[in-house]
Tab-separated table of all heavy atoms in Angstrom:
chain	number	residue	atom	x	y	z
A	839	VAL	N	-78.972	-87.998	-67.660
A	839	VAL	CA	-79.840	-87.493	-66.608
A	839	VAL	C	-79.996	-85.991	-66.824
A	839	VAL	O	-79.010	-85.302	-67.097
A	839	VAL	CB	-79.223	-87.771	-65.218
A	839	VAL	CG1	-80.088	-87.180	-64.112
A	839	VAL	CG2	-79.060	-89.274	-65.021
A	840	PRO	N	-81.216	-85.440	-66.729
A	840	PRO	CA	-81.378	-83.984	-66.874
A	840	PRO	C	-80.442	-83.243	-65.922
A	840	PRO	O	-80.344	-83.584	-64.745
A	840	PRO	CB	-82.846	-83.752	-66.511
A	840	PRO	CG	-83.516	-85.067	-66.802
A	840	PRO	CD	-82.490	-86.110	-66.469
A	841	SER	N	-79.754	-82.221	-66.425
A	841	SER	CA	-78.697	-81.588	-65.633
A	841	SER	C	-78.958	-80.114	-65.374
A	841	SER	O	-79.293	-79.354	-66.289
A	841	SER	CB	-77.344	-81.749	-66.328
A	841	SER	OG	-76.320	-81.116	-65.588
A	842	ASP	N	-78.777	-79.717	-64.119
A	842	ASP	CA	-78.769	-78.311	-63.714
A	842	ASP	C	-77.360	-77.880	-63.321
A	842	ASP	O	-77.188	-76.828	-62.692
A	842	ASP	CB	-79.712	-78.110	-62.517
A	842	ASP	CG	-81.169	-78.226	-62.907
A	842	ASP	OD1	-81.655	-77.327	-63.618
A	842	ASP	OD2	-81.827	-79.216	-62.530
A	843	ALA	N	-76.376	-78.679	-63.673
A	843	ALA	CA	-74.994	-78.423	-63.279
A	843	ALA	C	-74.138	-78.183	-64.518
A	843	ALA	O	-74.652	-78.035	-65.628
A	843	ALA	CB	-74.459	-79.599	-62.463
A	844	ASN	N	-72.834	-78.152	-64.351
A	844	ASN	CA	-71.925	-77.961	-65.487
A	844	ASN	C	-71.335	-79.290	-65.939
A	844	ASN	O	-70.228	-79.347	-66.464
A	844	ASN	CB	-70.803	-76.973	-65.143
A	844	ASN	CG	-69.837	-77.504	-64.096
A	844	ASN	OD1	-70.206	-78.352	-63.286
A	844	ASN	ND2	-68.607	-76.997	-64.102
A	845	PHE	N	-72.097	-80.345	-65.748
A	845	PHE	CA	-71.661	-81.679	-66.156
A	845	PHE	C	-72.885	-82.508	-66.529
A	845	PHE	O	-74.029	-82.121	-66.273
A	845	PHE	CB	-70.872	-82.364	-65.038
A	845	PHE	CG	-71.619	-82.465	-63.732
A	845	PHE	CD1	-72.547	-83.473	-63.505
A	845	PHE	CD2	-71.412	-81.541	-62.718
A	845	PHE	CE1	-73.243	-83.578	-62.307
A	845	PHE	CE2	-72.097	-81.619	-61.515
A	845	PHE	CZ	-73.014	-82.643	-61.315
A	846	VAL	N	-72.611	-83.659	-67.126
A	846	VAL	CA	-73.675	-84.572	-67.565
A	846	VAL	C	-73.314	-85.987	-67.134
A	846	VAL	O	-72.189	-86.448	-67.377
A	846	VAL	CB	-73.845	-84.524	-69.102
A	846	VAL	CG1	-74.859	-85.583	-69.563
A	846	VAL	CG2	-74.279	-83.123	-69.542
A	847	LEU	N	-74.261	-86.672	-66.499
A	847	LEU	CA	-74.116	-88.102	-66.228
A	847	LEU	C	-74.716	-88.842	-67.408
A	847	LEU	O	-75.900	-88.646	-67.732
A	847	LEU	CB	-74.843	-88.475	-64.932
A	847	LEU	CG	-74.607	-89.911	-64.446
A	847	LEU	CD1	-73.205	-90.065	-63.868
A	847	LEU	CD2	-75.647	-90.301	-63.405
A	848	PHE	N	-73.911	-89.676	-68.059
A	848	PHE	CA	-74.377	-90.304	-69.293
A	848	PHE	C	-74.078	-91.793	-69.288
A	848	PHE	O	-73.144	-92.268	-68.643
A	848	PHE	CB	-73.754	-89.626	-70.520
A	848	PHE	CG	-72.258	-89.790	-70.632
A	848	PHE	CD1	-71.710	-90.702	-71.521
A	848	PHE	CD2	-71.385	-89.016	-69.858
A	848	PHE	CE1	-70.336	-90.862	-71.631
A	848	PHE	CE2	-70.015	-89.162	-69.968
A	848	PHE	CZ	-69.480	-90.081	-70.846
A	849	GLY	N	-74.873	-92.552	-70.021
A	849	GLY	CA	-74.754	-93.999	-70.131
A	849	GLY	C	-75.765	-94.472	-71.181
A	849	GLY	O	-76.216	-93.666	-71.979
A	850	ARG	N	-76.194	-95.655	-71.181
A	850	ARG	CA	-75.755	-96.725	-70.308
A	850	ARG	C	-74.727	-97.558	-71.041
A	850	ARG	O	-74.858	-97.823	-72.219
A	850	ARG	CB	-76.927	-97.599	-69.881
A	850	ARG	CG	-77.976	-96.855	-69.083
A	850	ARG	CD	-79.110	-97.827	-68.696
A	850	ARG	NE	-80.087	-97.192	-67.842
A	850	ARG	CZ	-80.189	-97.322	-66.520
A	850	ARG	NH1	-79.362	-98.140	-65.913
A	850	ARG	NH2	-81.089	-96.673	-65.839
A	851	PHE	N	-73.726	-97.985	-70.278
A	851	PHE	CA	-72.650	-98.798	-70.833
A	851	PHE	C	-72.700	-100.197	-70.229
A	851	PHE	O	-73.091	-100.372	-69.073
A	851	PHE	CB	-71.296	-98.158	-70.515
A	851	PHE	CG	-71.091	-96.820	-71.152
A	851	PHE	CD1	-71.197	-95.663	-70.398
A	851	PHE	CD2	-70.788	-96.713	-72.504
A	851	PHE	CE1	-70.999	-94.413	-70.976
A	851	PHE	CE2	-70.588	-95.472	-73.093
A	851	PHE	CZ	-70.697	-94.321	-72.329
A	852	ALA	N	-72.281	-101.158	-71.014
A	852	ALA	CA	-72.181	-102.522	-70.497
A	852	ALA	C	-71.140	-102.585	-69.391
A	852	ALA	O	-71.281	-103.290	-68.402
A	852	ALA	CB	-71.842	-103.488	-71.622
A	853	ASP	N	-70.063	-101.817	-69.551
A	853	ASP	CA	-68.971	-101.759	-68.576
A	853	ASP	C	-68.444	-100.326	-68.581
A	853	ASP	O	-67.709	-99.930	-69.481
A	853	ASP	CB	-67.867	-102.754	-68.952
A	853	ASP	CG	-66.736	-102.808	-67.931
A	853	ASP	OD1	-66.567	-101.837	-67.161
A	853	ASP	OD2	-66.008	-103.820	-67.912
A	854	ALA	N	-68.840	-99.535	-67.582
A	854	ALA	CA	-68.452	-98.126	-67.548
A	854	ALA	C	-66.937	-97.960	-67.481
A	854	ALA	O	-66.378	-97.050	-68.100
A	854	ALA	CB	-69.114	-97.427	-66.360
A	855	SER	N	-66.273	-98.820	-66.736
A	855	SER	CA	-64.822	-98.721	-66.616
A	855	SER	C	-64.141	-98.931	-67.969
A	855	SER	O	-63.187	-98.219	-68.311
A	855	SER	CB	-64.307	-99.741	-65.601
A	855	SER	OG	-62.901	-99.680	-65.489
A	856	ALA	N	-64.632	-99.879	-68.724
A	856	ALA	CA	-64.059	-100.126	-70.047
A	856	ALA	C	-64.311	-98.950	-70.977
A	856	ALA	O	-63.431	-98.558	-71.765
A	856	ALA	CB	-64.640	-101.410	-70.631
A	857	ALA	N	-65.494	-98.358	-70.889
A	857	ALA	CA	-65.801	-97.192	-71.713
A	857	ALA	C	-64.919	-96.009	-71.316
A	857	ALA	O	-64.457	-95.247	-72.176
A	857	ALA	CB	-67.275	-96.830	-71.573
A	858	TRP	N	-64.674	-95.855	-70.015
A	858	TRP	CA	-63.792	-94.787	-69.533
A	858	TRP	C	-62.386	-94.948	-70.121
A	858	TRP	O	-61.787	-93.980	-70.597
A	858	TRP	CB	-63.732	-94.830	-68.006
A	858	TRP	CG	-62.833	-93.817	-67.378
A	858	TRP	CD1	-63.153	-92.531	-67.055
A	858	TRP	CD2	-61.453	-93.996	-67.003
A	858	TRP	NE1	-62.062	-91.892	-66.496
A	858	TRP	CE2	-61.007	-92.765	-66.461
A	858	TRP	CE3	-60.563	-95.063	-67.068
A	858	TRP	CZ2	-59.707	-92.591	-65.977
A	858	TRP	CZ3	-59.267	-94.885	-66.603
A	858	TRP	CH2	-58.861	-93.663	-66.059
A	859	LYS	N	-61.874	-96.169	-70.106
A	859	LYS	CA	-60.541	-96.425	-70.651
A	859	LYS	C	-60.507	-96.183	-72.159
A	859	LYS	O	-59.508	-95.676	-72.689
A	859	LYS	CB	-60.122	-97.856	-70.333
A	859	LYS	CG	-59.873	-98.111	-68.851
A	859	LYS	CD	-59.553	-99.575	-68.572
A	859	LYS	CE	-59.360	-99.821	-67.087
A	859	LYS	NZ	-59.129	-101.256	-66.785
A	860	ALA	N	-61.588	-96.516	-72.835
A	860	ALA	CA	-61.629	-96.311	-74.286
A	860	ALA	C	-61.623	-94.826	-74.618
A	860	ALA	O	-60.948	-94.392	-75.568
A	860	ALA	CB	-62.873	-96.980	-74.862
A	861	LEU	N	-62.346	-94.020	-73.843
A	861	LEU	CA	-62.317	-92.568	-74.055
A	861	LEU	C	-60.930	-92.002	-73.751
A	861	LEU	O	-60.439	-91.117	-74.456
A	861	LEU	CB	-63.373	-91.888	-73.184
A	861	LEU	CG	-64.821	-92.061	-73.636
A	861	LEU	CD1	-65.775	-91.574	-72.554
A	861	LEU	CD2	-65.063	-91.308	-74.947
A	862	LEU	N	-60.291	-92.529	-72.700
A	862	LEU	CA	-58.943	-92.077	-72.350
A	862	LEU	C	-57.969	-92.377	-73.487
A	862	LEU	O	-57.063	-91.582	-73.764
A	862	LEU	CB	-58.494	-92.752	-71.061
A	862	LEU	CG	-57.143	-92.314	-70.501
A	862	LEU	CD1	-57.147	-90.821	-70.175
A	862	LEU	CD2	-56.807	-93.120	-69.239
A	863	ALA	N	-58.160	-93.497	-74.159
A	863	ALA	CA	-57.306	-93.835	-75.290
A	863	ALA	C	-57.475	-92.840	-76.437
A	863	ALA	O	-56.596	-92.724	-77.291
A	863	ALA	CB	-57.622	-95.252	-75.779
A	864	HIS	N	-58.606	-92.124	-76.436
A	864	HIS	CA	-58.841	-91.063	-77.425
A	864	HIS	C	-58.439	-89.691	-76.877
A	864	HIS	O	-58.833	-88.659	-77.418
A	864	HIS	CB	-60.312	-91.043	-77.837
A	864	HIS	CG	-60.701	-92.158	-78.762
A	864	HIS	ND1	-60.899	-93.456	-78.331
A	864	HIS	CD2	-60.919	-92.162	-80.100
A	864	HIS	CE1	-61.239	-94.211	-79.367
A	864	HIS	NE2	-61.252	-93.452	-80.451
A	865	ASP	N	-57.685	-89.685	-75.768
A	865	ASP	CA	-57.154	-88.451	-75.183
A	865	ASP	C	-58.237	-87.589	-74.531
A	865	ASP	O	-58.101	-86.369	-74.454
A	865	ASP	CB	-56.400	-87.629	-76.235
A	865	ASP	CG	-55.232	-86.844	-75.642
A	865	ASP	OD1	-54.764	-87.211	-74.556
A	865	ASP	OD2	-54.814	-85.851	-76.268
A	866	VAL	N	-59.298	-88.243	-74.058
A	866	VAL	CA	-60.391	-87.551	-73.376
A	866	VAL	C	-60.572	-88.187	-72.002
A	866	VAL	O	-60.833	-89.392	-71.891
A	866	VAL	CB	-61.711	-87.640	-74.173
A	866	VAL	CG1	-62.854	-87.014	-73.372
A	866	VAL	CG2	-61.566	-86.944	-75.519
A	867	LEU	N	-60.435	-87.382	-70.961
A	867	LEU	CA	-60.565	-87.875	-69.587
A	867	LEU	C	-61.902	-87.431	-69.012
A	867	LEU	O	-62.162	-86.238	-68.852
A	867	LEU	CB	-59.423	-87.338	-68.721
A	867	LEU	CG	-59.426	-87.731	-67.237
A	867	LEU	CD1	-59.304	-89.238	-67.075
A	867	LEU	CD2	-58.294	-87.017	-66.500
A	868	VAL	N	-62.772	-88.414	-68.706
A	868	VAL	CA	-64.038	-88.149	-68.026
A	868	VAL	C	-63.963	-88.805	-66.654
A	868	VAL	O	-62.932	-89.324	-66.241
A	868	VAL	CB	-65.239	-88.644	-68.857
A	868	VAL	CG1	-65.287	-87.923	-70.209
A	868	VAL	CG2	-65.205	-90.159	-69.048
A	869	ARG	N	-65.058	-88.828	-65.929
A	869	ARG	CA	-65.038	-89.349	-64.559
A	869	ARG	C	-65.861	-90.630	-64.449
A	869	ARG	O	-67.038	-90.659	-64.837
A	869	ARG	CB	-65.594	-88.299	-63.590
A	869	ARG	CG	-65.488	-88.650	-62.102
A	869	ARG	CD	-64.057	-88.567	-61.610
A	869	ARG	NE	-63.971	-88.740	-60.156
A	869	ARG	CZ	-63.964	-87.745	-59.281
A	869	ARG	NH1	-64.024	-86.474	-59.709
A	869	ARG	NH2	-63.869	-87.974	-57.989
A	870	ASP	N	-65.229	-91.669	-63.938
A	870	ASP	CA	-65.943	-92.881	-63.556
A	870	ASP	C	-66.344	-92.691	-62.098
A	870	ASP	O	-65.508	-92.746	-61.197
A	870	ASP	CB	-65.049	-94.112	-63.712
A	870	ASP	CG	-65.767	-95.418	-63.420
A	870	ASP	OD1	-66.897	-95.374	-62.892
A	870	ASP	OD2	-65.195	-96.487	-63.700
A	871	VAL	N	-67.623	-92.447	-61.866
A	871	VAL	CA	-68.100	-92.100	-60.522
A	871	VAL	C	-68.546	-93.316	-59.725
A	871	VAL	O	-69.069	-93.183	-58.616
A	871	VAL	CB	-69.248	-91.066	-60.599
A	871	VAL	CG1	-68.730	-89.740	-61.114
A	871	VAL	CG2	-70.399	-91.583	-61.469
A	872	GLY	N	-68.343	-94.494	-60.280
A	872	GLY	CA	-68.657	-95.711	-59.540
A	872	GLY	C	-70.098	-96.164	-59.628
A	872	GLY	O	-70.507	-97.072	-58.911
A	873	ILE	N	-70.889	-95.544	-60.513
A	873	ILE	CA	-72.271	-95.981	-60.726
A	873	ILE	C	-72.263	-96.932	-61.917
A	873	ILE	O	-71.916	-96.523	-63.027
A	873	ILE	CB	-73.205	-94.794	-61.001
A	873	ILE	CG1	-73.136	-93.774	-59.865
A	873	ILE	CG2	-74.636	-95.277	-61.183
A	873	ILE	CD1	-73.946	-92.508	-60.135
A	874	PRO	N	-72.634	-98.184	-61.731
A	874	PRO	CA	-72.573	-99.147	-62.841
A	874	PRO	C	-73.309	-98.652	-64.075
A	874	PRO	O	-74.482	-98.273	-64.012
A	874	PRO	CB	-73.241	-100.398	-62.248
A	874	PRO	CG	-73.004	-100.281	-60.769
A	874	PRO	CD	-73.093	-98.805	-60.477
A	875	GLY	N	-72.593	-98.625	-65.191
A	875	GLY	CA	-73.205	-98.264	-66.457
A	875	GLY	C	-73.148	-96.786	-66.798
A	875	GLY	O	-73.572	-96.398	-67.893
A	876	TRP	N	-72.626	-95.948	-65.888
A	876	TRP	CA	-72.681	-94.507	-66.102
A	876	TRP	C	-71.298	-93.867	-65.952
A	876	TRP	O	-70.477	-94.310	-65.160
A	876	TRP	CB	-73.634	-93.853	-65.100
A	876	TRP	CG	-75.050	-94.297	-65.215
A	876	TRP	CD1	-75.619	-95.402	-64.624
A	876	TRP	CD2	-76.090	-93.672	-65.968
A	876	TRP	NE1	-76.945	-95.487	-64.956
A	876	TRP	CE2	-77.264	-94.431	-65.784
A	876	TRP	CE3	-76.141	-92.526	-66.768
A	876	TRP	CZ2	-78.477	-94.089	-66.376
A	876	TRP	CZ3	-77.354	-92.184	-67.367
A	876	TRP	CH2	-78.490	-92.968	-67.171
A	877	LEU	N	-71.083	-92.773	-66.710
A	877	LEU	CA	-69.901	-91.934	-66.595
A	877	LEU	C	-70.358	-90.474	-66.509
A	877	LEU	O	-71.494	-90.152	-66.854
A	877	LEU	CB	-68.978	-92.112	-67.808
A	877	LEU	CG	-68.353	-93.497	-67.999
A	877	LEU	CD1	-67.646	-93.570	-69.355
A	877	LEU	CD2	-67.388	-93.829	-66.871
A	878	ARG	N	-69.447	-89.593	-66.057
A	878	ARG	CA	-69.773	-88.178	-65.949
A	878	ARG	C	-68.763	-87.364	-66.741
A	878	ARG	O	-67.552	-87.612	-66.660
A	878	ARG	CB	-69.742	-87.743	-64.481
A	878	ARG	CG	-70.321	-86.354	-64.211
A	878	ARG	CD	-69.953	-85.885	-62.822
A	878	ARG	NE	-68.535	-85.548	-62.740
A	878	ARG	CZ	-67.867	-85.357	-61.603
A	878	ARG	NH1	-68.469	-85.494	-60.438
A	878	ARG	NH2	-66.583	-85.045	-61.630
A	879	VAL	N	-69.258	-86.384	-67.501
A	879	VAL	CA	-68.379	-85.522	-68.279
A	879	VAL	C	-68.666	-84.065	-67.923
A	879	VAL	O	-69.804	-83.652	-67.775
A	879	VAL	CB	-68.560	-85.752	-69.796
A	879	VAL	CG1	-69.984	-85.439	-70.255
A	879	VAL	CG2	-67.543	-84.946	-70.591
A	880	THR	N	-67.603	-83.284	-67.770
A	880	THR	CA	-67.726	-81.855	-67.528
A	880	THR	C	-67.976	-81.132	-68.844
A	880	THR	O	-67.365	-81.456	-69.868
A	880	THR	CB	-66.432	-81.302	-66.905
A	880	THR	OG1	-66.148	-82.024	-65.706
A	880	THR	CG2	-66.560	-79.823	-66.591
A	881	ALA	N	-68.870	-80.147	-68.822
A	881	ALA	CA	-69.087	-79.312	-70.001
A	881	ALA	C	-67.915	-78.344	-70.129
A	881	ALA	O	-67.676	-77.528	-69.230
A	881	ALA	CB	-70.400	-78.549	-69.873
A	882	GLY	N	-67.179	-78.452	-71.210
A	882	GLY	CA	-65.990	-77.628	-71.400
A	882	GLY	C	-66.187	-76.561	-72.451
A	882	GLY	O	-67.278	-76.007	-72.635
A	883	THR	N	-65.128	-76.257	-73.173
A	883	THR	CA	-65.189	-75.302	-74.275
A	883	THR	C	-65.819	-75.987	-75.492
A	883	THR	O	-65.941	-77.227	-75.537
A	883	THR	CB	-63.788	-74.831	-74.638
A	883	THR	OG1	-63.031	-75.965	-75.105
A	883	THR	CG2	-63.081	-74.205	-73.437
A	884	PRO	N	-66.217	-75.213	-76.505
A	884	PRO	CA	-66.732	-75.851	-77.727
A	884	PRO	C	-65.752	-76.863	-78.324
A	884	PRO	O	-66.161	-77.935	-78.789
A	884	PRO	CB	-66.969	-74.665	-78.664
A	884	PRO	CG	-67.282	-73.524	-77.742
A	884	PRO	CD	-66.395	-73.747	-76.544
A	885	ALA	N	-64.460	-76.542	-78.292
A	885	ALA	CA	-63.466	-77.469	-78.843
A	885	ALA	C	-63.395	-78.744	-78.014
A	885	ALA	O	-63.234	-79.855	-78.567
A	885	ALA	CB	-62.095	-76.802	-78.902
A	886	GLU	N	-63.504	-78.612	-76.708
A	886	GLU	CA	-63.481	-79.797	-75.850
A	886	GLU	C	-64.726	-80.647	-76.054
A	886	GLU	O	-64.660	-81.891	-76.051
A	886	GLU	CB	-63.340	-79.374	-74.387
A	886	GLU	CG	-61.957	-78.855	-74.042
A	886	GLU	CD	-61.871	-78.251	-72.655
A	886	GLU	OE1	-62.890	-77.716	-72.164
A	886	GLU	OE2	-60.772	-78.306	-72.057
């Protein structure tokens, strides 16, 4: 979704919760905001 904030809502996933867990397994924590198919990530440092 076009963003004017310091985060991005991104998708679409078949199962957002499963995608969230898969990212966590890669040591990356994003936000499952409860919208089917979508996750939210904060814009961090270049390394992040």
